[in-house]
Amino acid sequence: MATSAAQTGLRHRSIGFWESLALSVEAMGPLLGALSVAPLIAISAGFSAPFMVLVCGIAMFIVALTIGRFARRLPSAASIYSYVSHGLGERAGFLSTWLSFMYYVLFVPQLMLAFGLYAHSGMNYVFGIDIAWWIWALFAGAIALTLSLVGIRLSTRIDLGLAIIADLVLLIASIALVVSAPHLSLGSLSPTHAGGGFTGLSLAIASGVLIYLGFEQSFTLGEEVKDPHGNVPKAIYVALISIGAVLLFATFAMVSAFGSHGMAALTAANTNDGTPWWAALHRVGLGTGWRDALSLVIMTSVLGNMIASHNAVVRIQYGMGRAKALPSAFGRTGSRQTPYFAICVQIGISVLVTLIMGLAWNTTKAFGFLGFTNGLAGAIAFILVLLAAMLYFTKVEPEKGLVRNLVIPGVGIAILIPAVYTAFYPNPGAPLKWAPYVILGWTLLGGIYLLARDRRAGVVDVDYAFAEIGEAPPADAAAPAGPAVPAGSFVTEPA
């Protein structure tokens, strides 16, 4: 019976550390982060953009340490849903995961928009091939759909190859910019050059979170990766530290090419070309071959980014479907042991959002709005994870002390809170000013769904959602008599 159940789950222990690392690295998408997200940080924080990348990196490392602690104590394929549920209760866990869907679900169409943007401009610039952006976007979606249906092993191995190529090209291009910059200055590593002052620095945090977003996504592979309690945290730490260092250096190289007095030119170049990197290469005297190389490699990098992000979100949906926190169809797997229903639904949503937003606005504006929204939603979700950790580990690991259980996650929360505050005040301008209300509306929908679910649900076993098949009873199993609740289970009482 256990064997039959296992065959209906994900492919057990089919990948190792390197595949897990590839998912986190490609989900971060360093080349896209450098070309499209780092400029958004510079527009808000000015010449101090590298400083903000460093500060946000500290906050993300605190989140990574927290996720690593959770991963060692909770079921092998746990997620934000499980983490927050154990600290703040199942309803808070559900709503935090519903919020995380905000950036996981929307991250895929954001990347489809990016692929359409860069494929259209890159192929046109390098080869003179003019194909509409939305055709390229649909092409990328079809590749992600096919690979995710085939299986995680092939997807992550392709991601690994694409990540190595993209990271090497980005690092070489960044070194070339720094070496060729006429007036190199370390002043960008301090907050004193932020044109918008505290407000500019705070607004930059949302984009700063976005540039790192994805490092944590290998936690969704716990059922499929070998030694999940060791390989998953290790993959998260290695991805964050290594790619974070590359992103910091790339941002430093970008602003160094323009200089402390060239931020207006950087903003104008980003508006005109979709990225200031082409102008940066020209300003320091690097030839068109550099742009050709980046234009082609960014396409493969974004494609790998999208494949990784798509694989991560469908596994969260799969786990919640297994626990009946989402419709049970999300918890189904096919003959290749892939969550086919979640995969198809996610691709369908991504195509709709991509076409509606991209055609209603334009690819650059839609990408910027989704990026700001995703960064803000990610900041809120990470704050909830850190808050849950403070409560959970104070109870289960009091011997670790106040510094580890309270002070360190508190520092992470303190860094992330300004991103939430400045999203509302002062007004960041259209279309970014609509992002908080989109998040509030989405959270309200989640609350309505939660109330409807609670009226008909009995036990929601969070541990079962992300445990190996056979480790825990099904989520709809009968609850034991009396007030006792199974360990790791959360009873949802009728509203």
Side-chain angles (χ1 to χ4, degrees), residues 255-439:
V255 298
S256 296
F258 286 90
S260 59
H261 299 291
M263 292 301 100
L266 183 150
T267 301
N270 190 66
T271 301
N272 295 332
D273 300 330
T275 177
W277 274 72
W278 312 147
L281 294 170
H282 177 73
R283 287 172 72 97
V284 300
L286 295 176
T288 58
W290 289 91
R291 178 173 175 176
D292 290 347
L294 285 173
S295 296
L296 296 178
V297 174
I298 185 63
M299 294 170 55
T300 61
S301 178
V302 174
L303 182 61
N305 192 351
M306 186 174 65
I307 294 169
S309 299
H310 174 68
N311 277 323
V313 67
V314 299
R315 277 156 177 76
I316 294 177
Q317 294 167 347
Y318 159 79
M320 294 186 71
R322 267 176 49 173
K324 308 297 172 59
L326 286 179
S328 59
F330 283 91
R332 297 173 185 165
T333 55
S335 59
R336 301 191 68 88
Q337 294 179 267
T338 56
Y340 65 91
F341 183 83
I343 288 170
C344 293
V345 169
Q346 176 60 37
I347 284 294
I349 293 172
S350 300
V351 168
L352 285 175
V353 173
T354 299
L355 295 180
I356 291 173
M357 294 195 67
L359 295 175
W361 288 344
N362 58 60
T363 50
T364 302
K365 190 174 183 179
F367 176 87
F369 174 76
L370 287 178
F372 184 79
T373 304
N374 290 341
L376 179 58
I380 297 171
F382 288 148
I383 288 173
L384 291 173
V385 170
L386 293 172
L387 182 59
M390 294 171 75
L391 297 177
Y392 177 72
F393 289 110
T394 298
K395 290 186 293 184
V396 301
E397 294 183 353
E399 71 279 3
K400 299 297 183 181
L402 292 179
V403 172
R404 190 168 181 186
N405 289 341
L406 295 177
V407 175
I408 292 178
V411 170
I413 292 173
I415 294 175
L416 295 173
I417 281 179
V420 181
Y421 174 77
T422 51
F424 290 91
Y425 181 84
N427 189 329
L432 302 186
K433 67 178 181 180
W434 301 322
Y437 303 102
V438 171
I439 293 174

Side-chain angles (χ1 to χ4, degrees), residues 50-250:
F51 171 79
M52 291 311 303
V53 173
L54 179 61
V55 169
C56 290
I58 293 172
M60 293 301 98
F61 188 71
I62 291 174
V63 173
L65 290 175
T66 302
I67 290 175
R69 291 186 72 185
F70 272 124
R72 284 189 290 270
R73 287 199 61 98
L74 298 180
S76 59
S79 77
I80 288 176
Y81 178 45
S82 184
Y83 302 156
V84 178
S85 293
H86 281 79
L88 301 178
E90 194 276 330
R91 289 183 178 88
F94 176 86
L95 287 175
S96 65
T97 304
W98 184 266
L99 178 62
S100 73
F101 283 170
M102 194 75 204
Y103 64 85
Y104 279 126
V105 172
L106 293 182
F107 210 35
V108 181
Q110 180 189 351
L111 294 171
M112 288 180 69
L113 285 164
F115 186 85
L117 170 67
Y118 281 108
H120 173 258
S121 61
M123 295 299 286
N124 195 7
Y125 179 80
V126 178
F127 300 114
I129 299 173
D130 188 9
I131 299 176
W133 70 266
W134 60 269
I135 296 178
W136 287 113
L138 293 178
F139 171 72
I143 293 178
L145 172 65
T146 302
L147 288 176
S148 57
L149 288 172
V150 169
I152 190 65
R153 189 174 185 179
L154 177 61
S155 296
T156 51
R157 290 187 173 185
I158 290 175
D159 277 340
L160 183 61
L162 295 179
I164 292 172
I165 295 171
D167 295 343
L168 284 176
V169 171
L170 175 59
L171 186 59
I172 293 170
S174 300
I175 293 173
L177 279 180
V178 169
V179 171
S180 304
H183 304 292
L184 199 61
S185 170
L186 297 179
S188 59
L189 297 175
S190 76
T192 57
H193 294 277
F198 175 78
T199 298
L201 293 173
S202 299
L203 281 172
I205 293 177
S207 297
V209 171
L210 178 64
I211 205 171
Y212 287 101
L213 210 59
F215 74 90
E216 79 289 358
Q217 290 189 16
S218 59
F219 69 61
T220 63
L221 299 176
E223 186 178 333
E224 297 158 290
V225 70
K226 302 170 186 173
D227 184 20
H229 298 289
N231 283 330
V232 170
K234 185 166 65 173
I236 290 173
Y237 300 149
V238 171
L240 182 59
I241 293 172
S242 59
I243 301 305
V246 172
L247 287 169
L248 174 61
F249 184 66

